[in-house]
Amino acid sequence: MKSPLFDSSSCEQKISSCQNENNFYKLFWPKEVLQHIWLASNEGKSFNFADLEKYFIIIIIMGIVPLPSLKDYWAQNKTNHGLFGVKAVKQLMSRDKFKYIHSSICFDTKWIEDYLNNLFKTLWNLYQNLVVDETSIAFKRIWRRKQNILEKPNSTGIKFFALCDSTGFLYSFWIYRGKEETTHDARESGILLEFIEQLPKLNYIITMDSYYGSLDFDLKLQGNNTHYLKAL
């Protein structure tokens, strides 16, 4: 349920004004982000900005239409009885060019993190019920900040902490880069307090698991008009 105190209409208008999937995609993944990735990836490389845009469109298609292997997206129908091969992918780019761009992708993760955090806050006013938790994105390539988290579906990958509301909208997040490189307070209460400090001083209700919180945390919440529920 949405409380009258938490009016999201002004931000929802930005999203509802999108006329098609392309507008929606550009709202959350704007040209500035692509420009950053293209400049970081294209030193001495031979692909243009339009190629990078096509590359990310193909990545989205692959998420919607999962196939057993990369080569299956470019498979010829006559060799697989029409089971594989995605026409939209084949029309956008050859497999060799896709693989070349894929191997060249490079960007500053901190820049992307900061940019998206600022962007997300302009697109949404939070609903009253929030949740804070850690999660991970599966990632098996070489990256020194990769983490192994036991009992997670994606146990090896990029670990991050996130604040979402009851609609599932990701309002704020930060990537855990290890004890020595993480610039955030990675203590249980510190994680929560950092997220809470970003919130307007409204009557939010935050749900979390038993890992978070402390007596010190409870005392600091008293003057912030914020309440929380802890799962045992």
Side-chain angles (χ1 to χ4, degrees), residues 3 25 52 57 69 76 78 104 108 111 129 153 166 169 226 231:
S3 165
Y25 164 70
L52 186 66
I57 291 171
S69 68
Q76 300 298 319
K78 61 184 180 181
S104 303
D108 181 347
W111 187 94
N129 293 297
S166 54
F169 187 87
T226 301

Side-chain angles (χ1 to χ4, degrees), residues 17-35:
S17 64
C18 295
Q19 299 298 314
N20 52 48
E21 295 86 348
N22 187 43
N23 295 148
F24 194 82
Y25 164 70
K26 289 181 177 179
L27 185 66
F28 285 89
W29 200 244
K31 188 175 181 179
E32 291 81 2
V33 173
L34 290 173
Q35 189 77 18

Side-chain angles (χ1 to χ4, degrees), residues 52-67:
L52 186 66
E53 290 183 302
K54 292 177 183 178
Y55 167 84
F56 278 109
I57 291 171
I58 291 173
I59 291 293
I60 293 172
I61 293 172
M62 288 177 172
I64 298 171
V65 186
L67 293 178

Side-chain angles (χ1 to χ4, degrees), residues 126 130-132 161-165 169-173 195 199:
L126 286 168
L130 312 177
V131 62
V132 170
F161 295 92
L163 169 70
C164 304
D165 70 5
F169 187 87
L170 178 61
Y171 186 78
S172 182
F173 73 98
F195 283 129
L199 300 174

Side-chain angles (χ1 to χ4, degrees), residues 172-183:
S172 182
F173 73 98
W174 56 270
I175 297 170
Y176 182 73
R177 293 175 168 82
K179 291 182 179 179
E180 296 185 1
E181 294 189 46
T182 295
T183 58

Side-chain angles (χ1 to χ4, degrees), residues 8-224:
S8 296
S9 58
S10 60
C11 291
E12 288 177 351
Q13 189 173 4
K14 293 181 181 179
I15 296 175
S16 61
S17 64
C18 295
Q19 299 298 314
N20 52 48
E21 295 86 348
N22 187 43
N23 295 148
F24 194 82
Y25 164 70
K26 289 181 177 179
L27 185 66
F28 285 89
W29 200 244
K31 188 175 181 179
E32 291 81 2
V33 173
L34 290 173
Q35 189 77 18
H36 169 83
I37 296 172
W38 182 66
L39 291 173
S41 305
N42 208 33
E43 282 189 37
K45 305 295 191 302
S46 57
F47 62 90
N48 56 38
F49 188 79
D51 291 332
L52 186 66
E53 290 183 302
K54 292 177 183 178
Y55 167 84
F56 278 109
I57 291 171
I58 291 173
I59 291 293
I60 293 172
I61 293 172
M62 288 177 172
I64 298 171
V65 186
L67 293 178
S69 68
L70 184 69
K71 66 180 181 180
D72 293 330
Y73 291 93
W74 285 269
Q76 300 298 319
N77 289 335
K78 61 184 180 181
T79 62
N80 59 68
H81 306 288
L83 294 175
F84 300 136
V86 178
K87 184 178 179 180
V89 170
K90 291 187 281 187
Q91 288 177 337
L92 283 167
M93 185 179 293
S94 69
R95 186 182 70 177
D96 287 346
K97 190 162 193 176
F98 177 88
K99 291 174 70 176
Y100 174 73
I101 295 175
H102 188 69
S103 66
S104 303
I105 289 293
C106 178
F107 53 87
D108 181 347
T109 56
K110 189 66 172 67
W111 187 94
I112 296 289
E113 178 184 320
D114 291 343
Y115 186 94
L116 292 180
N117 267 300
N118 291 328
L119 175 66
F120 293 166
K121 291 175 178 62
T122 69
L123 298 177
W124 198 251
N125 290 333
L126 286 168
Y127 283 36
Q128 184 176 24
N129 293 297
L130 312 177
V131 62
V132 170
D133 204 358
E134 71 172 32
T135 187
S136 64
I137 300 174
F139 185 79
K140 297 185 178 180
R141 297 182 69 182
I142 298 173
W143 196 45
R144 61 179 178 164
R145 300 177 183 93
K146 188 169 58 177
Q147 303 290 317
N148 292 307
I149 309 173
L150 297 177
E151 300 179 359
K152 289 285 186 182
N154 301 318
S155 58
T156 300
I158 302 171
K159 173 182 174 179
F160 64 98
F161 295 92
L163 169 70
C164 304
D165 70 5
S166 54
T167 69
F169 187 87
L170 178 61
Y171 186 78
S172 182
F173 73 98
W174 56 270
I175 297 170
Y176 182 73
R177 293 175 168 82
K179 291 182 179 179
E180 296 185 1
E181 294 189 46
T182 295
T183 58
H184 301 265
D185 187 347
R187 295 173 301 171
E188 295 88 338
S189 58
I191 293 167
L192 285 165
L193 288 171
E194 182 174 337
F195 283 129
I196 289 169
E197 286 170 358
Q198 301 174 35
L199 300 174
K201 292 189 180 300
L202 297 174
N203 194 29
Y204 290 106
I205 300 172
I206 301 178
T207 301
M208 66 197 78
D209 65 30
S210 57
Y211 173 78
Y212 302 98
S214 64
L215 177 59
D216 179 54
F217 171 73
D218 297 344
L219 294 173
K220 287 183 179 180
L221 278 187
Q222 288 181 6
N224 203 54

